Amino acid sequence: MDFIVRFTQSHETFRIPEIEALAIVEGVDLKVKEYRPESPYCIVTLPSEDAAKRLVQRSILVQAIYEHWADATTLADLQDQIRAGQKHLLPRYQTCSFKFNFDSFQGTRQQDAKVAIINSFAFLAFKGPIALRNPDEEFAVLEEWSLGSTALGVADPARLYFGRVVGAGARDLATVYTLKKRGYISTTSMDSELALVTANVALAGPGKLFYDPFVGTGSFPVACSHFGALSFGSDIDGRAIRGQGKQKSVKGNFDQYGIKYLLGGMFVADLTNTPVRISPDRRIFDGIVCDPPYGVREGLKVLGCRDPEKMPWSIEAGKERSHLPDYIPPKKPYSFVAMLDDILAFSAATIVDNGRLAFWMPTANDEAEEIKVPTHPCLEVVAVSTQEFNKWILDQTGSRKLIAYRRIPDAEVSRDSLEAYMNRQKLKVEVKVNV
């Protein structure tokens, strides 16, 4: 069966990765037949109406999904398609209550023009009552106008679709979890809409363990736990986790949304000094989601002394005071490239087969040089989505990317690629020691 997906007109490069991930979550066979980033309408093939409902029920970027009846470049052709191809469907809707909706993208019509078009569908011969509230069935005329049609006085849309509403997305979740009403946030807290999209792309769901190694105020764990995942997090700065009290803390955020039972735990650490036991025979996380520190406001640091030989007392001080709530461990500079390598290496060592890593990174560095998508022989890139910014972006790159990886099962990992990677890592360590 073909369906029309009506996306929200934002985050265009995130749309397909989100619904493809949700197809995996729901165990739905999805085929994208037609999609253009400049249009909010996408035609997909799904096995059933139930599959369509399940596909979009937790989507943040989908407004609605329609059973596809026809699409054409003129209203006359649209109606001819319906007459020719949907005769078998018409008897099913003869007596039920119904209503018609209009959805015009990049164009508008006067109300009388809309009524005239709706009346032109009288050939459907529906005999049931019209119900503007809670109808049994809802039908829609979807219009896609050319850019600037209103200003140019264009009379007709470039394309029309007709369909029956079968399901809706979860757009309201972005409002429920908005940072404007959250008890504990910081200047770097991830926008609720994109945090939820990230959780979807990472396949968060009930019975899964998720981890954020740069947890901050907990935007990603909150999003993952909304979808049922048991969430864990760590941060180099324990003050970010503890916050300012019972409610103004990461725990307080979980409590605010009634999902405290899905908070697995939070601890102070970084990827180079982690209490997470790494074993080739026991990978524990179903997914890792994070927004690593970068840019002007976020200094790149890891736990440790800049010069241990000159500060031997700091190690003893740490042993004596590390249990105290006001203890701040020493930190040393950290390379952004090294951080990316560490994220991938840690994920490859801790994520289960076919689990996902989803993290954000800037598109370019401070010198406007493009940062390549990092790779690892055990991780397959499944999606790269870009968020464009205006001039106020903190890292001054103009955009950032959400990159999603799948953990390749060990039996499918290229031995040659893995051996070459291990040799490169060994060489890096030797060079560092010699320096």
Side-chain angles (χ1 to χ4, degrees):
M1 297 178 65
D2 285 353
F3 296 86
I4 307 164
V5 177
R6 205 303 186 187
F7 289 109
T8 179
Q9 190 54 25
S10 63
H11 305 306
E12 292 84 355
T13 61
F14 294 75
R15 296 166 171 172
I16 298 301
E18 188 195 35
I19 64 169
E20 288 181 338
L22 293 178
I24 296 173
V25 170
E26 296 296 334
V28 169
D29 184 15
L30 166 72
K31 179 182 178 181
V32 178
K33 291 185 64 176
E34 181 182 320
Y35 172 68
R36 291 171 292 122
E38 64 271 17
S39 171
Y41 306 117
C42 171
I43 298 179
V44 301
T45 299
L46 294 163
S48 66
E49 180 178 326
D50 177 68
K53 292 178 181 178
R54 290 190 289 115
L55 175 70
V56 305
Q57 65 183 351
R58 56 179 264 188
S59 171
I60 308 303
L61 300 180
V62 171
Q63 289 186 1
I65 189 166
Y66 306 84
E67 182 182 47
H68 178 271
W69 282 32
D71 66 270
T73 55
T74 68
L75 181 61
D77 287 345
L78 184 78
Q79 294 177 342
D80 286 344
Q81 282 189 35
I82 296 172
R83 290 187 183 96
Q86 304 298 337
K87 289 181 179 179
H88 65 289
L89 294 174
L90 299 183
R92 189 185 310 172
Y93 308 111
Q94 290 300 297
T95 59
C96 63
S97 62
F98 69 95
K99 68 178 288 189
F100 272 74
N101 277 335
F102 242 89
D103 181 16
S104 295
F105 171 66
Q106 293 184 160
T108 60
R109 286 190 187 273
Q110 297 295 325
Q111 185 62 27
D112 57 348
K114 293 181 181 179
V115 172
I117 291 176
I118 291 174
N119 287 337
S120 72
F121 284 87
F123 67 89
L124 294 174
F126 293 157
K127 298 180 177 61
I130 297 174
L132 298 182
R133 293 185 179 181
N134 302 317
D136 295 327
E137 299 292 347
E138 189 173 337
F139 300 88
V141 178
L142 313 173
E143 297 184 329
E144 181 181 342
W145 295 72
S146 301
L147 183 65
S149 294
T150 302
L152 296 173
V154 176
D156 297 301
R159 193 168 186 182
L160 301 94
Y161 303 82
F162 185 83
R164 180 177 65 89
V165 177
V166 298
R171 291 284 302 153
D172 61 308
L173 288 180
T175 301
V176 172
Y177 285 91
T178 178
L179 297 181
K180 295 179 180 179
K181 298 180 180 179
R182 189 170 299 179
Y184 177 54
I185 63 171
S186 71
T187 55
T188 57
S189 294
M190 177 61 71
D191 166 75
S192 61
E193 181 179 46
L194 290 176
L196 290 161
V197 170
T198 303
N200 274 338
V201 171
L203 313 181
K208 294 184 177 182
L209 303 183
F210 268 67
Y211 173 56
D212 181 352
F214 306 93
V215 71
T217 60
S219 291
F220 289 123
V222 165
C224 292
S225 289
H226 168 80
F227 295 122
L230 183 64
S231 296
F232 297 81
S234 65
D235 201 282
I236 193 173
D237 189 349
R239 294 171 297 178
I241 298 173
R242 293 189 294 270
Q244 304 166 22
K246 186 174 181 180
Q247 293 303 315
K248 289 187 175 296
S249 64
V250 173
K251 288 183 179 180
N253 285 342
F254 273 74
D255 192 39
Q256 176 181 346
Y257 299 115
I259 53 175
K260 193 174 181 179
Y261 67 100
L262 289 171
L263 174 58
M266 299 284 159
F267 51 92
V268 178
D270 63 50
L271 289 178
T272 66
N273 296 275
T274 177
V276 177
R277 296 293 180 88
I278 297 178
S279 169
D281 302 321
R282 189 185 65 177
R283 288 181 268 126
I284 60 174
F285 296 123
D286 295 282
I288 293 177
V289 290
C290 58
D291 182 23
Y294 53 83
V296 176
R297 294 191 184 184
E298 296 289 344
L300 292 177
K301 304 283 186 179
V302 291
L303 297 175
C305 298
R306 183 189 296 267
D307 192 342
E309 294 183 0
K310 293 183 179 180
M311 301 175 62
W313 52 268
S314 65
I315 297 177
E316 294 303 318
K319 292 179 180 179
E320 295 176 2
R321 303 186 63 246
S322 61
H323 65 286
L324 300 176
D326 62 345
Y327 174 70
I328 301 175
K331 302 174 182 67
K332 61 182 180 180
Y334 191 28
S335 160
F336 181 75
V337 174
M339 178 181 66
L340 295 180
D341 286 342
D342 287 340
I343 292 173
L344 268 61
F346 179 85
S347 300
T350 58
I351 294 179
V352 302
D353 289 354
N354 298 311
R356 288 197 172 184
L357 161 67
F359 76 91
W360 290 80
M361 61 172 278
T363 301
N365 61 22
D366 292 338
E367 286 73 42
E369 298 171 332
E370 181 180 2
I371 302 174
K372 294 183 178 180
V373 173
T375 61
H376 189 285
C378 295
L379 298 170
E380 174 194 9
V381 177
V382 293
V384 178
S385 303
T386 303
Q387 180 191 18
E388 301 291 341
F389 285 101
N390 294 320
K391 294 181 179 179
W392 51 262
I393 179 61
L394 298 179
D395 63 7
Q396 299 178 347
T397 64
S399 64
R400 60 180 176 179
K401 296 178 180 178
L402 171 63
I403 308 172
Y405 301 80
R406 176 183 72 96
R407 185 20 167 123
I408 304 171
D410 287 337
E412 300 174 15
V413 174
S414 167
R415 297 296 99 185
D416 292 340
S417 297
L418 184 59
E419 183 178 355
Y421 170 81
M422 297 302 292
N423 289 336
R424 289 196 300 272
Q425 296 305 109
K426 183 179 179 181
L427 181 61
K428 288 180 181 179
V429 172
E430 292 175 350
V431 170
K432 186 176 181 179
V433 170
N434 292 333
V435 172

